[in-house]
């Protein structure tokens, strides 16, 4: 139990470091996501293959092809969200971009009465109001510092794509664990590769300083992070996963301030507390269970939450 908790917390901290590592890569955001998903999916496929051979198992996707397709589309939406997110990192900073991205689960909650025919009680509406107020404080204070409108738009679109990822992943019930994450990452790579081809960015031009952080982002933060995340999940309670899961966005904000010296005013800090607290309140107080990012927890990950 203790070892599993250490693995889980380690994966969240790795996901929280994504923006910090990406800040040291000079490639365009599309190419960063392309390299990240390629390396991460390759590592997970190798680990998954070794596990299947060792335990003489089989792929769950072959028995559930329709769900595999939904999971692949979920990964494609996640890949698109990462492209927007990494562009937002460059334009408005890691901290604020991470907070806008984390509004994604609340968008799903707001749409749930239409999409999933669920009822929103007073507690969830209170949490939603806290997130909206927090977003207003973060963005409003940043506007006074000439925050990039394009960066804010990219941050908002990353949240929208996250919501699409969750909607697709809701249809997946029989594909889990590392296979879930591997299929999603392959979908993310396919989306990033298609967009890179369409925009003539399919061949990254690495500077010497890009190589090490690119390997770290793809193999360590994404591939190893997902492996640690899923290897710990079966030993932890749902409550532990949900509560501790908010270490990811919190660490992303803290790392951005401490390591990148990104400024945050007192009101923006209050906004961050409202966004994370409101999202946690929405998730823990009612009956709507949002899948965590399948990769990013990413988390927050098909049922990661990805950060990944």
């Amino acid at each position: 139990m203790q070892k599993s908790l250490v693995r889980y917390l380690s994966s969240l901290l790795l996901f929280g470091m994504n923006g910090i590592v990406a800040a040291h890569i000079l490639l365009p955001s599309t190419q960063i996501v392309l390299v990240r998903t390629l390396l991460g999916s390759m590592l997970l496929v190798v680990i998954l293959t070794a596990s299947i051979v060792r335990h003489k198992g089989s792929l769950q996707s072959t028995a559930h092809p329709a769900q595999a397709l939904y999971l692949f589309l979920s990964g494609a939406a996640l890949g698109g969200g990462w492209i927007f997110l990494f562009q937002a990192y460059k334009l408005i900073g890691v901290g604020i971009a991470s907070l806008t991205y984390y509004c994604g689960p609340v968008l799903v909650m707001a749409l749930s009465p239409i999409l999933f025919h669920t009822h929103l009680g007073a507690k969830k509406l209170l949490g939603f109001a806290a997130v909206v107020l927090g977003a207003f404080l973060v963005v409003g204070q940043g506007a006074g510092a000439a925050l990039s409108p394009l960066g804010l738009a990219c941050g908002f679109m990353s949240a929208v794509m996250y919501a699409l990822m969750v909607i697709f992943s809701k249809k997946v019930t029989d594909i889990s664990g590392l296979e879930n994450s591997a299929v999603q990452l392959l979908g993310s790579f396919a989306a990033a590769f298609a967009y890179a081809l369409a925009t003539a960015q399919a061949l990254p031009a690495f500077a010497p300083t890009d190589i090490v952080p690119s390997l770290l982002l793809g193999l360590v933060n994404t591939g190893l992070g997902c492996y640690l995340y899923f290897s710990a999940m079966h030993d932890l309670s749902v409550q532990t996963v949900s509560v501790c899961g908010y270490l990811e966005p919190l660490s992303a904000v803290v790392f951005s301030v401490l390591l990148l010296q990104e400024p945050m005013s007192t009101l923006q800090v209050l906004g961050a507390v409202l966004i994370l607290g409101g999202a946690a309140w929405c998730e823990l107080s009612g009956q709507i269970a949002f899948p965590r990012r399948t990769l990013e927890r990413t988390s927050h990950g098909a049922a990661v939450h990805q950060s990944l």
Side-chain angles (χ1 to χ4, degrees):
M1 181 71 174
Q2 186 176 8
K3 291 181 179 179
S4 295
L5 181 60
V6 170
R7 288 199 301 270
Y8 180 60
L9 295 179
S10 298
S11 71
L12 298 179
L13 290 174
L14 284 175
F15 296 148
M17 286 289 292
N18 284 339
I20 307 302
V21 178
H24 294 84
I25 303 175
L26 300 179
L27 296 173
S29 57
T30 299
Q31 294 183 345
I32 293 176
V33 175
L34 181 65
V35 173
R36 177 194 186 189
T37 53
L38 173 61
L39 294 175
S41 60
M42 287 174 59
L43 180 59
L44 288 188
V45 167
V46 169
I47 295 174
L48 178 63
T49 301
S51 177
I52 291 176
V53 171
R54 179 182 177 184
H55 299 289
K56 298 180 180 180
S58 60
L59 290 174
Q60 300 165 338
S61 299
T62 57
H64 307 280
Q67 291 188 33
L69 176 59
Y70 279 120
L71 187 56
F72 189 85
L73 292 175
S74 173
L78 184 63
W82 280 345
I83 291 174
F84 284 116
L85 177 63
F86 279 75
Q87 183 64 21
Y89 283 160
K90 294 178 179 294
L91 294 175
I92 58 176
V94 173
I96 294 178
S98 298
L99 291 173
T100 56
Y101 180 66
Y102 216 70
C103 292
V106 183
L107 289 179
V108 179
M109 185 202 73
L111 294 173
S112 61
I114 299 174
L115 297 174
F116 308 122
H117 308 291
T118 53
H119 173 69
L120 297 181
K123 291 183 178 180
K124 286 192 174 294
L125 291 175
L126 179 62
F128 179 74
V131 172
V132 172
L133 177 59
F136 175 78
L137 290 176
V138 169
V139 174
Q141 288 294 299
L147 208 60
S148 166
L150 178 59
L152 290 174
C154 288
F156 176 74
M157 284 304 301
S158 72
V160 171
M161 297 302 289
Y162 176 89
L164 288 175
M165 180 274 291
V166 171
I167 291 169
F168 281 123
S169 68
K170 288 276 285 183
K171 298 181 180 292
V172 181
T173 57
D174 299 301
I175 304 175
S176 59
L178 272 176
E179 183 175 344
N180 182 300
S181 187
V183 173
Q184 250 204 339
L185 259 187
L186 287 171
S188 299
F189 169 71
F193 184 66
Y195 183 77
L197 281 177
T199 56
Q201 301 182 71
L203 294 175
F206 288 98
T209 55
D210 291 334
I211 296 176
V212 172
S214 295
L215 290 173
L216 285 174
L217 185 64
L219 296 177
V220 179
N221 290 60
T222 303
L224 178 61
C226 288
Y227 173 74
L228 291 174
Y229 178 86
F230 282 108
S231 66
M233 286 288 290
H234 66 281
D235 292 327
L236 301 175
S237 67
V238 173
Q239 183 179 14
T240 298
V241 170
S242 297
V243 173
C244 294
Y246 288 90
L247 175 64
E248 179 192 341
L250 177 61
S251 64
V253 174
V254 172
F255 288 150
S256 71
V257 174
L258 296 180
L259 301 180
L260 299 179
Q261 285 79 52
E262 292 183 356
M264 287 197 76
S265 67
T266 302
L267 286 179
Q268 283 181 317
V269 172
L270 176 59
V273 172
L274 287 172
I275 289 174
L276 298 180
W281 179 266
C282 288
E283 185 166 334
L284 300 175
S285 65
Q287 298 178 353
I288 302 174
F290 299 123
R292 308 300 291 176
R293 275 178 307 197
T294 0
L295 298 173
E296 258 121 318
R297 204 172 45 80
T298 335
S299 247
H300 359 172
V304 201
H305 214 307
Q306 149 252 290
S307 75
L308 284 174

